Amino acid sequence: MRPPMCLICYRSLGDDLPVSSFKLVRFALTPEEEAVEREQAREGWTGHPAWEEWFCDEHTALAEEHSHLHWREAMELLAQQRKPPRQVR
Ligand SMILES: [Zn+2]
C-alpha cells in the first residue's frame, strides 16, 4: 500500500495533513481483474492495486462520482481534473 497522496492535487502527509484527510477510493474492476485480486488476497499480497487510489478530503467526492466506472476510465477522467504540477522548490 502506498502512503496517501491525492491523485488530483498531489497533496500528501508531507503537506501537514492528517491521514484522516485522505480516503482510499476503489474503482470498478473487470471480472478478470476481480479474479486476479482474489488470487492475490489468497497469496497474502500487500501491494497497491491499480484500481485503488488516494484522494484528499477536497477530491474524495469527485473520485467517488467516478468509482462506478472501470478504473482505467475513471483514472483517465480524473487525470483531466488535475492542476498542473506545483513548482517544486
Ligand atoms: Zn486533492
Side-chain angles (χ1 to χ4, degrees), residues 24-78:
L24 196 60
V25 176
R26 181 186 165 90
F27 299 95
L29 305 183
T30 63
E32 290 77 19
E33 287 163 344
E34 280 176 1
V36 167
E37 185 178 51
R38 275 195 299 275
E39 184 65 17
Q40 286 174 337
R42 202 178 56 80
E43 291 171 0
W45 185 71
T46 55
H48 191 112
W51 41 83
E52 289 181 3
E53 273 300 338
W54 289 105
F55 293 91
C56 71
D57 46 11
E58 246 177 77
H59 296 113
T60 298
L62 180 68
E64 285 179 339
E65 281 172 28
H66 292 74
S67 63
H68 63 286
L69 297 171
H70 183 256
W71 62 272
R72 284 187 197 280
E73 192 186 348
M75 300 292 179
E76 203 169 296
L77 289 171
L78 288 166

